Amino acid sequence: MKVLVVGGGGREHALVWKLQQSPQVEQVFCAPGNPGMKGVVPVPVDGLGELADFAEREGIALTMVGPEAPLCAGLVDVFRARGLRIVGPDKRAAQLEGSKAFAKDFMRRHGLPTAASGVFTACEPALDYLRQQGAPIVVKADGLAAGKGVIVAMTLEEAEAAVRDCFSGRFGEAGARVLIEECLFGEEASILALTDGRTIVPLASSQDHKRLGDGDTGPNTGGMGAYSPAPVVTDALWATIRREVLDRFLAGCQADGLDFRGVIYAGIMVTDTGPKVLEFNVRFGDPETQAVLMRLDSDLAEALAATADGRLGDVQLAWSEDPAVCVVMASGGYPEHYEKGLPITGIEAAEATGAVVFHAGTKLAAGKLVNNGGRVLGVTARGTDLRAALDRAYRAVNCISWPGAYYRRDIAHRALARG
Ligand code: AMP
Ligand code: GLY
Protein backbone atom coordinates (compact mmCIF):
# COMPACT_ATOMS: atom_id res chain seq x y z
CA MET A 1 0.00 0.00 0.00
CA LYS A 2 0.90 3.65 -0.36
CA VAL A 3 1.09 5.62 2.88
CA LEU A 4 1.01 9.36 3.58
CA VAL A 5 2.49 10.95 6.69
CA VAL A 6 1.36 14.51 7.46
CA GLY A 7 3.97 16.77 9.05
CA GLY A 8 7.60 17.65 8.55
CA GLY A 9 9.60 17.29 11.77
CA GLY A 10 11.70 14.68 13.50
CA ARG A 11 8.66 12.70 14.62
CA GLU A 12 7.42 12.46 11.04
CA HIS A 13 10.87 11.44 9.78
CA ALA A 14 10.87 8.62 12.35
CA LEU A 15 7.36 7.56 11.25
CA VAL A 16 8.45 7.53 7.61
CA TRP A 17 11.60 5.56 8.49
CA LYS A 18 9.60 2.92 10.38
CA LEU A 19 6.78 2.68 7.83
CA GLN A 20 9.30 2.11 5.05
CA GLN A 21 10.41 -1.07 6.83
CA SER A 22 6.95 -2.63 6.44
CA PRO A 23 6.69 -5.33 3.76
CA GLN A 24 3.12 -4.10 3.13
CA VAL A 25 4.25 -0.61 2.24
CA GLU A 26 5.24 0.09 -1.33
CA GLN A 27 5.78 3.84 -1.00
CA VAL A 28 5.70 6.46 1.75
CA PHE A 29 4.91 10.11 1.07
CA CYS A 30 5.28 12.93 3.54
CA ALA A 31 3.62 16.37 3.39
CA PRO A 32 5.41 18.71 3.63
CA GLY A 33 8.23 16.38 4.79
CA ASN A 34 11.85 17.44 5.13
CA PRO A 35 15.19 16.89 3.35
CA GLY A 36 15.95 13.77 5.40
CA MET A 37 13.33 11.73 3.58
CA LYS A 38 12.22 10.69 0.11
CA GLY A 39 8.68 11.18 -1.14
CA VAL A 40 8.13 14.74 0.03
CA VAL A 41 4.91 16.39 -1.13
CA PRO A 42 4.85 20.21 -1.09
CA VAL A 43 1.53 20.59 0.72
CA PRO A 44 1.43 22.33 4.13
CA VAL A 45 -0.26 20.66 7.12
CA ASP A 46 -3.07 23.23 7.11
CA GLY A 47 -3.99 22.45 3.50
CA LEU A 48 -6.75 20.05 4.58
CA GLY A 49 -8.51 19.82 1.23
CA GLU A 50 -5.25 19.68 -0.70
CA LEU A 51 -4.03 16.80 1.46
CA ALA A 52 -7.22 14.88 0.77
CA ASP A 53 -6.92 15.68 -2.97
CA PHE A 54 -3.40 14.28 -2.97
CA ALA A 55 -4.47 11.13 -1.09
CA GLU A 56 -7.28 10.53 -3.59
CA ARG A 57 -5.17 11.22 -6.65
CA GLU A 58 -2.26 9.07 -5.50
CA GLY A 59 -4.41 6.20 -4.19
CA ILE A 60 -3.09 6.51 -0.62
CA ALA A 61 -4.36 3.55 1.43
CA LEU A 62 -3.43 4.96 4.84
CA THR A 63 -2.68 8.44 6.16
CA MET A 64 -0.99 9.07 9.49
CA VAL A 65 -1.10 12.55 11.03
CA GLY A 66 1.93 13.77 13.03
CA PRO A 67 1.16 17.19 14.55
CA GLU A 68 -1.85 18.36 16.58
CA ALA A 69 -2.77 21.43 14.53
CA PRO A 70 -4.32 19.61 11.55
CA LEU A 71 -6.10 17.19 13.91
CA CYS A 72 -7.63 20.10 15.84
CA ALA A 73 -8.54 21.75 12.53
CA GLY A 74 -10.50 18.65 11.45
CA LEU A 75 -8.23 16.87 8.94
CA VAL A 76 -9.60 13.48 10.02
CA ASP A 77 -13.19 14.66 9.42
CA VAL A 78 -12.26 15.88 5.93
CA PHE A 79 -10.58 12.57 5.02
CA ARG A 80 -13.36 10.35 6.43
CA ALA A 81 -16.05 12.39 4.68
CA ARG A 82 -14.27 11.49 1.43
CA GLY A 83 -13.91 7.81 2.33
CA LEU A 84 -10.15 8.05 2.92
CA ARG A 85 -8.52 5.90 5.62
CA ILE A 86 -6.71 8.00 8.22
CA VAL A 87 -5.30 7.55 11.73
CA GLY A 88 -6.16 10.23 14.29
CA PRO A 89 -9.00 11.60 16.42
CA ASP A 90 -11.72 13.62 14.71
CA LYS A 91 -12.02 17.33 15.41
CA ARG A 92 -14.25 16.88 18.44
CA ALA A 93 -12.01 14.25 20.07
CA ALA A 94 -8.89 16.32 19.25
CA GLN A 95 -10.12 18.87 21.81
CA LEU A 96 -8.54 16.59 24.40
CA GLU A 97 -5.35 18.35 23.32
CA GLY A 98 -6.83 21.50 21.78
CA SER A 99 -8.57 22.63 24.97
CA LYS A 100 -7.10 21.99 28.39
CA ALA A 101 -10.48 22.80 29.97
CA PHE A 102 -12.15 20.15 27.77
CA ALA A 103 -9.48 17.63 28.81
CA LYS A 104 -9.86 18.48 32.50
CA ASP A 105 -13.61 18.12 32.36
CA PHE A 106 -13.20 14.75 30.59
CA MET A 107 -10.75 13.54 33.25
CA ARG A 108 -12.92 14.72 36.11
CA ARG A 109 -16.06 13.06 34.78
CA HIS A 110 -14.32 9.78 34.01
CA GLY A 111 -12.21 9.53 37.16
CA LEU A 112 -8.71 9.90 35.72
CA PRO A 113 -6.18 11.09 38.32
CA THR A 114 -5.10 14.68 37.65
CA ALA A 115 -4.28 17.93 39.47
CA ALA A 116 -7.14 19.95 41.00
CA SER A 117 -7.88 23.06 38.95
CA GLY A 118 -10.18 25.96 38.18
CA VAL A 119 -11.17 27.36 34.77
CA PHE A 120 -11.55 31.12 34.25
CA THR A 121 -12.72 33.36 31.44
CA ALA A 122 -11.99 36.67 33.17
CA CYS A 123 -8.94 38.10 34.86
CA GLU A 124 -10.27 39.24 38.26
CA PRO A 125 -11.85 35.94 39.38
CA ALA A 126 -8.68 34.15 38.23
CA LEU A 127 -6.51 36.49 40.33
CA ASP A 128 -8.80 35.98 43.36
CA TYR A 129 -8.50 32.22 43.01
CA LEU A 130 -4.71 32.50 42.74
CA ARG A 131 -4.56 34.49 45.97
CA GLN A 132 -6.70 31.89 47.74
CA GLN A 133 -4.53 29.02 46.53
CA GLY A 134 -1.05 30.56 46.90
CA ALA A 135 2.16 29.53 45.14
CA PRO A 136 3.66 27.39 43.73
CA ILE A 137 0.86 27.07 41.22
CA VAL A 138 0.47 26.39 37.50
CA VAL A 139 -1.20 28.71 34.97
CA LYS A 140 -2.21 27.29 31.59
CA ALA A 141 -3.65 28.95 28.50
CA ASP A 142 -6.59 26.77 27.45
CA GLY A 143 -5.82 26.40 23.74
CA LEU A 144 -2.89 25.38 21.55
CA ALA A 145 0.10 27.61 22.30
CA ALA A 146 2.98 25.63 20.76
CA GLY A 147 4.12 24.40 24.17
CA LYS A 148 4.47 27.94 25.53
CA GLY A 149 1.12 28.31 27.28
CA VAL A 150 2.09 26.59 30.57
CA ILE A 151 3.69 28.62 33.36
CA VAL A 152 4.81 26.79 36.48
CA ALA A 153 4.90 29.76 38.87
CA MET A 154 7.01 29.54 41.99
CA THR A 155 5.67 32.84 43.37
CA LEU A 156 2.28 34.53 43.42
CA GLU A 157 3.73 37.49 41.48
CA GLU A 158 4.82 35.20 38.63
CA ALA A 159 1.42 33.53 38.64
CA GLU A 160 -0.43 36.85 38.55
CA ALA A 161 1.76 38.07 35.69
CA ALA A 162 1.02 34.85 33.79
CA VAL A 163 -2.73 35.26 34.26
CA ARG A 164 -2.58 38.90 33.11
CA ASP A 165 -0.48 37.85 30.10
CA CYS A 166 -3.04 35.27 29.06
CA PHE A 167 -5.98 37.67 29.33
CA SER A 168 -4.11 40.45 27.58
CA GLY A 169 -3.84 38.29 24.47
CA ARG A 170 -0.26 37.05 24.63
CA PHE A 171 -1.41 33.62 23.45
CA GLY A 172 -4.20 34.95 21.25
CA GLU A 173 -7.45 32.98 21.36
CA ALA A 174 -5.65 30.18 23.20
CA GLY A 175 -5.50 32.39 26.31
CA ALA A 176 -9.11 33.56 26.36
CA ARG A 177 -9.72 30.78 28.88
CA VAL A 178 -7.22 30.05 31.62
CA LEU A 179 -6.72 27.01 33.82
CA ILE A 180 -5.17 27.40 37.22
CA GLU A 181 -3.87 24.15 38.52
CA GLU A 182 -2.36 22.65 41.64
CA CYS A 183 1.41 22.26 41.26
CA LEU A 184 2.49 18.64 41.26
CA PHE A 185 5.93 17.32 42.09
CA GLY A 186 7.63 14.18 40.87
CA GLU A 187 9.26 12.65 37.81
CA GLU A 188 7.51 12.82 34.45
CA ALA A 189 6.92 10.03 31.94
CA SER A 190 5.29 9.90 28.53
CA ILE A 191 2.74 7.15 28.02
CA LEU A 192 1.60 6.67 24.43
CA ALA A 193 -1.04 4.24 23.28
CA LEU A 194 -2.89 3.28 20.12
CA THR A 195 -6.64 3.09 20.38
CA ASP A 196 -9.34 2.25 17.87
CA GLY A 197 -12.16 3.16 20.24
CA ARG A 198 -12.62 -0.46 21.34
CA THR A 199 -9.17 -1.54 22.50
CA ILE A 200 -6.22 0.39 23.83
CA VAL A 201 -2.67 -0.86 23.17
CA PRO A 202 0.11 0.92 25.09
CA LEU A 203 3.43 1.64 23.41
CA ALA A 204 6.75 1.43 25.26
CA SER A 205 7.23 4.07 27.96
CA SER A 206 9.54 7.02 27.41
CA GLN A 207 10.69 10.27 28.92
CA ASP A 208 11.60 13.51 27.22
CA HIS A 209 13.77 16.43 28.33
CA LYS A 210 11.82 19.67 28.03
CA ARG A 211 14.41 22.05 29.49
CA LEU A 212 17.20 23.49 27.39
CA GLY A 213 20.11 22.96 29.77
CA ASP A 214 21.90 20.04 31.39
CA GLY A 215 20.44 19.04 34.75
CA ASP A 216 16.97 20.11 33.52
CA THR A 217 17.70 23.82 33.83
CA GLY A 218 16.92 26.81 31.63
CA PRO A 219 13.86 27.57 29.51
CA ASN A 220 11.33 25.04 28.23
CA THR A 221 11.78 23.80 24.69
CA GLY A 222 9.95 21.50 22.31
CA GLY A 223 12.12 18.68 23.72
CA MET A 224 15.91 18.30 23.77
CA GLY A 225 16.02 14.52 23.79
CA ALA A 226 14.22 11.38 24.85
CA TYR A 227 14.78 7.82 25.87
CA SER A 228 12.78 4.63 26.10
CA PRO A 229 11.97 2.79 28.31
CA ALA A 230 11.53 5.15 31.27
CA PRO A 231 12.58 3.15 34.35
CA VAL A 232 10.43 5.41 36.57
CA VAL A 233 7.54 3.40 35.12
CA THR A 234 7.94 0.22 37.14
CA ASP A 235 5.71 -2.82 36.53
CA ALA A 236 3.49 -1.80 39.45
CA LEU A 237 3.17 1.74 38.12
CA TRP A 238 2.36 0.43 34.62
CA ALA A 239 -0.49 -1.59 36.10
CA THR A 240 -1.87 1.53 37.81
CA ILE A 241 -1.51 3.68 34.68
CA ARG A 242 -3.17 1.01 32.61
CA ARG A 243 -6.13 0.79 34.98
CA GLU A 244 -6.56 4.41 36.10
CA VAL A 245 -5.47 6.28 32.98
CA LEU A 246 -5.67 4.18 29.80
CA ASP A 247 -8.72 2.03 30.59
CA ARG A 248 -10.63 5.02 31.97
CA PHE A 249 -9.59 7.06 28.94
CA LEU A 250 -11.07 4.45 26.62
CA ALA A 251 -14.24 4.08 28.69
CA GLY A 252 -14.55 7.89 28.73
CA CYS A 253 -14.30 8.13 24.94
CA GLN A 254 -16.96 5.44 24.61
CA ALA A 255 -19.28 7.10 27.14
CA ASP A 256 -18.89 10.52 25.48
CA GLY A 257 -19.15 9.12 21.96
CA LEU A 258 -15.74 10.53 20.98
CA ASP A 259 -14.38 9.10 17.73
CA PHE A 260 -10.80 8.47 18.72
CA ARG A 261 -8.94 6.12 16.39
CA GLY A 262 -5.38 7.24 16.78
CA VAL A 263 -2.55 7.84 19.22
CA ILE A 264 -3.22 9.14 22.72
CA TYR A 265 -0.29 10.53 24.67
CA ALA A 266 -0.69 11.02 28.41
CA GLY A 267 1.94 13.21 30.04
CA ILE A 268 2.18 11.69 33.52
CA MET A 269 3.63 13.10 36.73
CA VAL A 270 4.66 10.28 39.05
CA THR A 271 3.82 11.78 42.45
CA ASP A 272 4.05 10.35 45.96
CA THR A 273 0.34 9.63 45.74
CA GLY A 274 0.46 7.89 42.36
CA PRO A 275 0.44 8.85 38.68
CA LYS A 276 -1.39 12.05 37.69
CA VAL A 277 -2.18 13.15 34.12
CA LEU A 278 -0.58 16.54 33.33
CA GLU A 279 -1.89 16.75 29.79
CA PHE A 280 -3.18 14.80 26.86
CA ASN A 281 -1.73 15.01 23.41
CA VAL A 282 -3.71 13.39 20.62
CA ARG A 283 -0.67 12.34 18.60
CA PHE A 284 2.81 10.86 18.84
CA GLY A 285 5.29 12.83 20.98
CA ASP A 286 8.29 14.57 19.52
CA PRO A 287 11.09 13.53 20.28
CA GLU A 288 9.72 10.49 22.19
CA THR A 289 8.63 8.84 18.94
CA GLN A 290 12.16 8.79 17.58
CA ALA A 291 13.31 6.69 20.56
CA VAL A 292 10.15 4.59 20.93
CA LEU A 293 9.88 3.53 17.26
CA MET A 294 13.51 2.44 17.27
CA ARG A 295 12.47 -0.24 19.78
CA LEU A 296 9.35 -1.42 17.93
CA ASP A 297 9.88 -4.83 16.31
CA SER A 298 6.32 -5.07 14.92
CA ASP A 299 5.02 -3.72 11.63
CA LEU A 300 3.91 -0.12 12.26
CA ALA A 301 1.86 0.05 9.06
CA GLU A 302 -0.17 -2.97 10.14
CA ALA A 303 -0.72 -1.52 13.63
CA LEU A 304 -1.84 1.85 12.23
CA ALA A 305 -4.13 0.27 9.65
CA ALA A 306 -5.72 -1.79 12.45
CA THR A 307 -6.15 1.41 14.47
CA ALA A 308 -8.01 3.10 11.64
CA ASP A 309 -10.14 0.00 10.95
CA GLY A 310 -11.12 -0.87 14.52
CA ARG A 311 -9.10 -4.13 14.45
CA LEU A 312 -6.61 -3.34 17.22
CA GLY A 313 -7.92 -6.29 19.26
CA ASP A 314 -5.96 -8.53 16.85
CA VAL A 315 -2.70 -6.62 17.25
CA GLN A 316 0.12 -7.47 19.64
CA LEU A 317 3.12 -5.21 19.57
CA ALA A 318 6.61 -6.67 20.07
CA TRP A 319 9.35 -4.52 21.56
CA SER A 320 13.10 -4.84 21.69
CA GLU A 321 14.52 -5.06 25.22
CA ASP A 322 17.31 -2.75 24.11
CA PRO A 323 16.90 0.86 25.21
CA ALA A 324 16.96 3.69 22.68
CA VAL A 325 17.88 7.34 23.04
CA CYS A 326 17.40 10.43 20.91
CA VAL A 327 19.72 13.42 21.31
CA VAL A 328 18.32 16.58 19.75
CA MET A 329 20.82 18.91 18.11
CA ALA A 330 19.50 22.48 18.12
CA SER A 331 20.50 25.82 16.65
CA GLY A 332 22.61 27.99 18.96
CA GLY A 333 20.26 30.49 20.65
CA TYR A 334 17.15 28.27 20.49
CA PRO A 335 14.46 28.64 21.91
CA GLU A 336 15.05 32.37 21.44
CA HIS A 337 16.68 33.89 18.35
CA TYR A 338 19.03 31.85 16.22
CA GLU A 339 20.70 32.13 12.87
CA LYS A 340 19.43 30.00 9.98
CA GLY A 341 21.08 28.84 6.75
CA LEU A 342 24.28 27.49 8.33
CA PRO A 343 25.77 24.48 6.50
CA ILE A 344 25.55 21.13 8.32
CA THR A 345 28.28 18.52 7.86
CA GLY A 346 28.96 15.00 9.07
CA ILE A 347 25.58 13.26 8.82
CA GLU A 348 26.93 10.36 6.73
CA ALA A 349 29.76 9.77 9.16
CA ALA A 350 27.26 9.92 12.02
CA GLU A 351 25.05 7.27 10.42
CA ALA A 352 28.08 5.06 9.74
CA THR A 353 28.31 4.60 13.53
CA GLY A 354 24.95 2.81 13.51
CA ALA A 355 22.83 5.74 14.70
CA VAL A 356 19.92 7.12 12.70
CA VAL A 357 19.79 10.86 12.11
CA PHE A 358 16.21 12.14 11.92
CA HIS A 359 15.84 15.56 10.35
CA ALA A 360 13.60 18.28 11.82
CA GLY A 361 14.64 21.89 11.11
CA THR A 362 16.77 21.35 8.01
CA LYS A 363 16.52 22.66 4.47
CA LEU A 364 18.38 22.26 1.19
CA ALA A 365 19.82 25.56 -0.05
CA ALA A 366 21.63 25.41 -3.39
CA GLY A 367 22.04 21.66 -2.90
CA LYS A 368 23.57 22.04 0.56
CA LEU A 369 21.97 20.98 3.82
CA VAL A 370 21.52 23.93 6.22
CA ASN A 371 19.75 24.53 9.53
CA ASN A 372 16.30 26.02 9.17
CA GLY A 373 14.67 25.73 12.60
CA GLY A 374 15.30 25.53 16.33
CA ARG A 375 15.46 21.79 16.69
CA VAL A 376 17.51 20.63 13.73
CA LEU A 377 18.33 16.91 14.06
CA GLY A 378 17.38 14.00 16.33
CA VAL A 379 20.32 11.62 16.57
CA THR A 380 18.86 8.31 17.65
CA ALA A 381 20.47 5.00 18.61
CA ARG A 382 19.74 1.72 20.32
CA GLY A 383 22.15 -0.31 22.45
CA THR A 384 22.32 -3.48 24.53
CA ASP A 385 21.97 -1.23 27.54
CA LEU A 386 21.31 2.45 28.12
CA ARG A 387 25.00 3.29 28.38
CA ALA A 388 25.70 1.61 25.02
CA ALA A 389 22.80 3.42 23.37
CA LEU A 390 24.03 6.74 24.74
CA ASP A 391 27.63 6.06 23.64
CA ARG A 392 26.46 5.30 20.14
CA ALA A 393 24.20 8.35 19.95
CA TYR A 394 26.82 10.76 21.28
CA ARG A 395 29.54 9.29 19.03
CA ALA A 396 27.25 10.10 16.11
CA VAL A 397 26.47 13.57 17.48
CA ASN A 398 30.21 14.27 17.62
CA CYS A 399 30.49 13.63 13.87
CA ILE A 400 27.96 16.37 13.06
CA SER A 401 28.63 20.07 13.13
CA TRP A 402 27.46 23.51 12.10
CA PRO A 403 28.29 26.86 13.67
CA GLY A 404 26.62 27.18 17.07
CA ALA A 405 25.14 23.67 17.16
CA TYR A 406 23.90 22.92 20.68
CA TYR A 407 22.81 19.73 22.43
CA ARG A 408 22.38 18.45 25.94
CA ARG A 409 25.09 16.14 27.21
CA ASP A 410 23.02 14.45 29.89
CA ILE A 411 20.15 12.77 28.05
CA ALA A 412 18.70 9.93 30.19
CA HIS A 413 20.49 11.14 33.33
CA ARG A 414 17.56 10.17 35.56
CA ALA A 415 17.54 6.63 34.20
CA LEU A 416 21.32 6.33 34.62
CA ALA A 417 21.05 7.56 38.20
CA ARG A 418 18.64 4.73 38.95
CA GLY A 419 21.41 2.29 37.96
P1 AMP B 1 1.60 20.49 29.67
O1 AMP B 1 1.65 21.18 28.32
O2 AMP B 1 0.30 20.60 30.38
O3 AMP B 1 2.19 19.12 29.69
O4 AMP B 1 2.68 21.27 30.53
C1 AMP B 1 4.04 21.33 30.12
C2 AMP B 1 4.93 21.03 31.27
O5 AMP B 1 4.61 21.86 32.38
C3 AMP B 1 4.78 19.61 31.82
O6 AMP B 1 5.55 18.69 31.11
C4 AMP B 1 5.26 19.79 33.23
O7 AMP B 1 6.67 19.79 33.28
C5 AMP B 1 4.76 21.15 33.59
N1 AMP B 1 3.45 21.05 34.26
C6 AMP B 1 2.22 21.04 33.71
N2 AMP B 1 1.25 20.94 34.64
C7 AMP B 1 1.88 20.87 35.82
C8 AMP B 1 1.42 20.75 37.19
N3 AMP B 1 0.12 20.68 37.49
N4 AMP B 1 2.35 20.70 38.15
C9 AMP B 1 3.67 20.78 37.87
N5 AMP B 1 4.16 20.90 36.61
C10 AMP B 1 3.28 20.94 35.59
N1 GLY C 1 7.57 15.85 23.75
C1 GLY C 1 6.40 16.52 24.10
C2 GLY C 1 5.39 16.58 23.05
O1 GLY C 1 5.50 15.96 22.02
O2 GLY C 1 4.40 17.26 23.24
Side-chain angles (χ1 to χ4, degrees), residues 208 210 222 265 281 283 285-288:
D208 75 349
K210 291 207 167 82
Y265 164 145
N281 295 316
R283 51 165 176 85
D286 191 344
E288 289 95 328

Side-chain angles (χ1 to χ4, degrees), residues 100 115 138 140 150 152 181-184 188 210 269 278-279:
K100 292 181 190 292
V138 183
K140 299 184 173 186
V150 176
V152 181
E181 197 172 284
E182 164 199 10
C183 190
L184 300 174
E188 288 179 49
K210 291 207 167 82
M269 184 76 91
L278 292 172
E279 63 164 343

